[in-house]
Amino acid sequence: MASGKSVAIVGATGAVGLEFLTCLERRNFPVGRLRLLASARSVGKTLTFRGESLPVEELKPESFKDVEIGLFSAGAAISREYAPMAVKAGVTVVDNSSAFRMDPEVPLVVPEINPEDIRHHKGIIANPNCSTIIALVPVYAIHRRNPVRRMIVATYQAASGAGAKAMEELRVQAADVLAGKPAVKKVFRHQIAFNLFSHNSKIAENGYNEEENKMVKETWKIFHDVTVKISATCVRVPVFRAHSEAIWIECERPVEEAQVREWLTGAPGLRVVDDREGNTFPMPIDASGEEDVLVGRIRRDYSRDDGRGISLFVAGDQLLKGAALNAVQIAEILVNGAVAPNRASTGVVRLPFSPDTAVLPR
Amino acid sequence: MASGKSVAIVGATGAVGLEFLTCLERRNFPVGRLRLLASARSVGKTLTFRGESLPVEELKPESFKDVEIGLFSAGAAISREYAPMAVKAGVTVVDNSSAFRMDPEVPLVVPEINPEDIRHHKGIIANPNCSTIIALVPVYAIHRRNPVRRMIVATYQAASGAGAKAMEELRVQAADVLAGKPAVKKVFRHQIAFNLFSHNSKIAENGYNEEENKMVKETWKIFHDVTVKISATCVRVPVFRAHSEAIWIECERPVEEAQVREWLTGAPGLRVVDDREGNTFPMPIDASGEEDVLVGRIRRDYSRDDGRGISLFVAGDQLLKGAALNAVQIAEILVNGAVAPNRASTGVVRLPFSPDTAVLPR
């Protein structure tokens, strides 16, 4: 233990924070010391890591002394305030919030896609938005062989994306509705139990909500390609912790279904679940607790005549690959210097993305 | 009452059957006599219509004596067996099953779209599939002004589409899951509570399930246009009785968002719910019990450069506009001879669709 890294988790008691602990333990991350940081009201709680009970400490400017790696998931405001302090104290921050994702100095990384971008970091590496990660792991397996020119995405997003309280709200509302009582709304503006609604983020001027616009801009930055055309409809569904997505992609050249199946089967971070006979495809309950993103319903998009369209259905754990796991994978690369196979073979180290080219369509 | 029509409901105790009763009563349909027909095991039950308790009778070949209008919703096998007998007995059948939808002798009708097709009937008029109806009411409001050339649809389909037992399965499973017990699966192969899955219909050779292929072929028949390109992903979600759908359409010519909003606002059978400020858009709990299809998230599809793309989100009651209401509206046209305004103004009476041109893409 003493030879491991000194790690701090910021937002340790949140839904993602708890998964940081699980991921570090399960993946045998070389943790020397672990500090659990949260707001003052969590002080007094303890969390278990490798059988040891650790106290939750209050997050303060001086919390980062002797910390090497900081895993942040306490919202954008906390990240904006504390991540620069942590960097000044010598910490390398992997930030799960949206605070720095579009910062040209900050790499935005999915380890299966652009691990080499990590090399450009100046103290902070950003974790992409959950629905973006879960879509891009499978889409990139195609994109790297036959560039994706257009992408249509409809999401089926779990309550977990809005935190532990939203998961609890789904549970309480479902029990109340079953008992014939009205659904009490606290976290979400609309009833989540036995209902669904357009994603609970603000609608931008272009008519798309923030979640949808994130998918556009983050894909551009992760793919290093601002020419990919994307339209997404993001929807919250009454599911606890895994996001599903229906995806239609249009490639640069004609693409065969069998070829796509082969690419997806061999790609890191993916598991193909495509049993037509048994009518079994990716489902959120199967993706929950899984590190891999599940991908299936692989079929030609017959609404295109030119053979350039493919349709997929995916499901991935929002708290794992959509958040904590992806961040821990980034931390693993920081520690090992290892870069996932996909792009390393090209030997290309691209410059960090400039947001000047990332103007949203309107 | 005596001056009204003699109506029989086949499948009266099913989820759609019960809604037939509601629709006939609420819309003040001129019912003279009402016969409630179902399988032998429902005999002994009574149902209330206009405050009167009516017995459920066993469906038999001789059940149709003196019946003028038959509303069928007891599955394709029952329709195939009994609808021709009913027609022989002089009944005009409105059939909610898939049995006759692709029959070139049978009009497939959404009253807001192709009411004039009713004139060609030879005893049977087919009600389209629920997800097709709910998508096409809004899409047609655009299509009639600026032809839709391509359509991408991701559905969020309620349990009700699989019948009353499926709705009960959602209820029972949800209670069991909340109590920490395993979900017992009877109607659906996969858990429906707090989960979702690719639609529970058979996967055809082209990789699309029957529900998705129905949307293609039924749209062609209803629009009288086999050149519309369609790709759908149909998904079952843990919602009781209203279907939602994310739709991307590409028109023949460039189309303005404001223009589309105007067309949708004035169209029959639709209610625009598009409150960006309040983040309120179509939701299944709001659509439940509503006759209108709710439509919102009206915005440009920025994944197209040519301004021909529009994206929508819709929700409609699967048991009402998706089934019983649409059938009762057809029956109203039969009784009144009235034809909805949309297409009547063109004066065109098109020939019934031939299935020879309706070969599915593969």
Side-chain angles (χ1 to χ4, degrees):
Chain A
M1 283 278 274
S3 66
K5 295 283 169 185
S6 171
V7 178
I9 296 177
V10 176
T13 56
V16 176
L18 297 172
E19 296 298 333
F20 278 143
L21 287 164
T22 318
C23 287
L24 291 171
E25 183 163 339
R26 188 170 49 199
R27 296 175 68 90
N28 218 6
F29 190 90
V31 177
R33 195 180 62 145
L34 184 62
R35 298 195 73 166
L36 306 178
L37 304 171
S39 67
R41 66 178 183 283
S42 288
V43 173
K45 287 186 186 170
T46 60
L47 296 172
T48 305
F49 181 67
R50 294 179 182 159
E52 208 179 319
S53 180
L54 299 177
V56 176
E57 302 169 62
E58 186 181 352
L59 172 64
K60 288 180 181 169
E62 57 271 26
S63 298
F64 299 100
K65 196 175 173 318
D66 298 329
V67 170
E68 291 167 283
I69 294 172
L71 301 172
F72 277 58
S73 190
I78 294 291
S79 289
R80 258 183 233 110
E81 188 177 351
Y82 287 89
M85 292 182 202
V87 171
K88 204 166 277 180
V91 180
T92 305
V93 170
V94 185
D95 181 33
N96 190 49
S97 84
S98 62
F100 304 103
R101 286 183 193 147
M102 287 301 124
D103 187 326
E105 302 291 320
V106 173
L108 181 68
V109 174
V110 180
E112 289 84 351
I113 303 175
N114 59 335
E116 73 284 358
D117 285 351
I118 292 174
R119 295 178 199 157
H120 300 285
H121 84 80
K122 294 176 179 170
I124 303 175
I125 299 146
N127 215 33
N129 184 45
C130 45
S131 50
T132 307
I133 299 175
I134 290 163
L136 293 193
V137 174
V139 168
Y140 183 70
I142 301 166
H143 180 71
R144 61 186 285 255
R145 275 90 165 203
N146 188 345
V148 169
R149 304 318 310 146
R150 188 183 175 208
M151 205 166 117
I152 298 279
V153 182
T155 73
Y156 303 69
Q157 295 185 230
S160 61
K165 280 183 185 158
M167 297 169 79
E168 185 57 19
E169 180 150 306
L170 169 56
R171 206 181 308 273
V172 171
Q173 281 188 0
D176 282 348
V177 170
L178 290 174
K181 291 190 278 187
V184 179
K185 288 160 266 180
K186 289 177 186 167
V187 178
F188 294 122
R189 181 188 295 253
H190 304 294
Q191 179 180 322
I192 181 69
F194 307 111
N195 190 33
L196 53 85
F197 48 83
S198 181
H199 191 275
N200 50 296
S201 54
K202 201 165 170 282
I203 311 288
E205 245 186 283
N206 67 357
Y208 287 77
N209 60 44
E210 279 174 8
E211 188 83 357
E212 294 161 354
N213 282 327
K214 278 178 189 173
M215 193 174 283
V216 178
K217 296 184 77 162
E218 294 184 15
T219 299
W220 290 348
K221 182 161 176 174
I222 296 163
F223 279 7
H224 297 247
D225 183 350
V226 298
T227 68
V228 184
K229 304 282 179 193
I230 302 167
S231 176
T233 297
C234 290
V235 176
R236 203 60 94 175
V237 296
V239 161
F240 286 110
R241 61 175 283 168
H243 287 358
S244 306
E245 308 185 31
I247 304 175
W248 285 260
I249 57 176
E250 297 176 8
C251 292
E252 197 166 283
R253 303 179 300 275
V255 59
E256 289 298 326
E257 180 187 301
Q259 179 69 81
V260 169
R261 187 170 283 106
E262 201 184 303
W263 291 338
L264 293 169
T265 303
L270 286 179
R271 183 154 64 86
V272 174
V273 180
D274 203 29
D275 174 12
R276 291 181 181 180
E277 192 67 37
N279 212 324
T280 299
F281 302 102
M283 294 192 290
I285 47 166
D286 288 344
S288 295
E290 281 274 327
E291 295 199 343
D292 285 340
V293 173
L294 312 184
V295 57
R297 297 301 320 273
I298 305 161
R299 62 209 197 279
R300 192 167 148 189
D301 172 1
Y302 287 105
S303 75
R304 292 193 67 85
D305 284 329
D306 57 10
R308 298 198 292 118
I310 284 287
S311 183
L312 307 170
F313 193 76
V314 308
D317 190 308
Q318 187 273 328
L319 295 173
L320 292 177
K321 188 57 189 170
L325 171 64
N326 197 75
V328 169
Q329 287 175 310
I330 290 170
E332 286 170 352
I333 296 173
L334 284 170
V335 170
N336 301 327
V339 161
N342 268 357
R343 221 189 260 182
S345 58
T346 70
V348 177
V349 178
R350 292 186 178 92
L351 284 175
F353 177 83
S354 156
D356 300 339
T357 47
V359 178
L360 279 174
R362 33 174 310 186
Chain B
M1 279 281 271
S3 66
K5 295 283 170 184
S6 171
V7 178
I9 296 177
V10 177
T13 56
V16 176
L18 296 173
E19 296 298 334
F20 277 143
L21 286 165
T22 317
C23 288
L24 291 172
E25 184 163 337
R26 189 170 48 200
R27 294 175 68 90
N28 218 6
F29 190 89
V31 177
R33 195 179 62 146
L34 183 62
R35 298 194 73 165
L36 306 178
L37 303 170
S39 68
R41 66 178 182 285
S42 287
V43 174
K45 288 185 188 170
T46 59
L47 296 173
T48 305
F49 181 67
R50 293 180 182 160
E52 209 181 319
S53 181
L54 298 176
V56 176
E57 303 170 61
E58 184 181 352
L59 172 64
K60 287 180 180 168
E62 57 271 24
S63 298
F64 299 100
K65 194 173 174 315
D66 298 328
V67 170
E68 290 166 284
I69 294 172
L71 301 172
F72 276 58
S73 190
I78 294 291
S79 289
R80 259 184 232 108
E81 189 178 349
Y82 287 90
M85 291 182 201
V87 171
K88 203 165 280 178
V91 179
T92 305
V93 170
V94 185
D95 182 32
N96 191 48
S97 84
S98 62
F100 304 104
R101 287 183 193 146
M102 287 302 123
D103 187 326
E105 302 291 319
V106 174
L108 180 68
V109 173
V110 179
E112 289 84 353
I113 303 175
N114 60 335
E116 72 284 0
D117 286 351
I118 292 174
R119 296 178 198 157
H120 301 284
H121 86 80
K122 295 175 178 171
I124 302 175
I125 299 146
N127 215 34
N129 185 42
C130 45
S131 50
T132 307
I133 298 175
I134 290 162
L136 294 193
V137 173
V139 169
Y140 182 71
I142 300 166
H143 180 71
R144 63 185 284 255
R145 275 90 165 203
N146 189 345
V148 169
R149 304 317 311 147
R150 187 181 175 209
M151 206 167 116
I152 298 278
V153 183
T155 72
Y156 303 69
Q157 296 185 228
S160 61
K165 281 181 184 157
M167 295 169 80
E168 185 56 21
E169 180 150 305
L170 169 56
R171 206 181 306 273
V172 171
Q173 281 187 1
D176 283 348
V177 169
L178 289 174
K181 291 190 277 186
V184 179
K185 288 160 264 180
K186 288 178 187 165
V187 177
F188 294 123
R189 181 188 296 251
H190 305 293
Q191 179 180 323
I192 182 70
F194 307 111
N195 191 33
L196 52 84
F197 48 81
S198 180
H199 191 274
N200 50 296
S201 53
K202 202 166 169 281
I203 310 289
E205 246 186 282
N206 67 357
Y208 286 77
N209 60 43
E210 280 175 7
E211 188 82 356
E212 294 160 355
N213 282 327
K214 277 178 190 172
M215 193 174 283
V216 178
K217 296 184 77 161
E218 294 184 14
T219 299
W220 289 349
K221 182 162 176 173
I222 296 162
F223 279 6
H224 296 249
D225 183 350
V226 298
T227 68
V228 184
K229 305 281 179 193
I230 302 167
S231 177
T233 296
C234 290
V235 176
R236 203 58 96 178
V237 296
V239 161
F240 286 110
R241 61 174 282 169
H243 288 357
S244 305
E245 308 185 30
I247 303 175
W248 285 260
I249 58 177
E250 297 176 8
C251 292
E252 198 166 281
R253 303 179 301 275
V255 59
E256 288 299 326
E257 183 187 300
Q259 180 69 81
V260 168
R261 186 169 285 109
E262 199 184 304
W263 291 339
L264 293 169
T265 302
L270 285 178
R271 183 153 64 87
V272 174
V273 181
D274 202 29
D275 173 11
R276 291 182 181 177
E277 193 66 38
N279 211 324
T280 300
F281 302 102
M283 294 193 291
I285 46 165
D286 287 345
S288 296
E290 279 275 326
E291 295 200 342
D292 285 339
V293 173
L294 311 184
V295 57
R297 296 302 321 271
I298 304 161
R299 62 209 197 279
R300 192 167 148 187
D301 172 1
Y302 287 104
S303 75
R304 292 192 68 85
D305 284 329
D306 57 9
R308 299 198 291 120
I310 284 286
S311 184
L312 307 171
F313 193 75
V314 308
D317 190 308
Q318 186 273 328
L319 295 173
L320 292 178
K321 188 57 189 170
L325 171 64
N326 196 75
V328 169
Q329 287 176 308
I330 291 170
E332 286 170 352
I333 296 174
L334 284 170
V335 170
N336 301 326
V339 161
N342 268 357
R343 220 189 260 181
S345 58
T346 70
V348 176
V349 178
R350 293 185 178 90
L351 284 174
F353 177 83
S354 156
D356 300 339
T357 45
V359 178
L360 279 174
R362 31 174 310 181

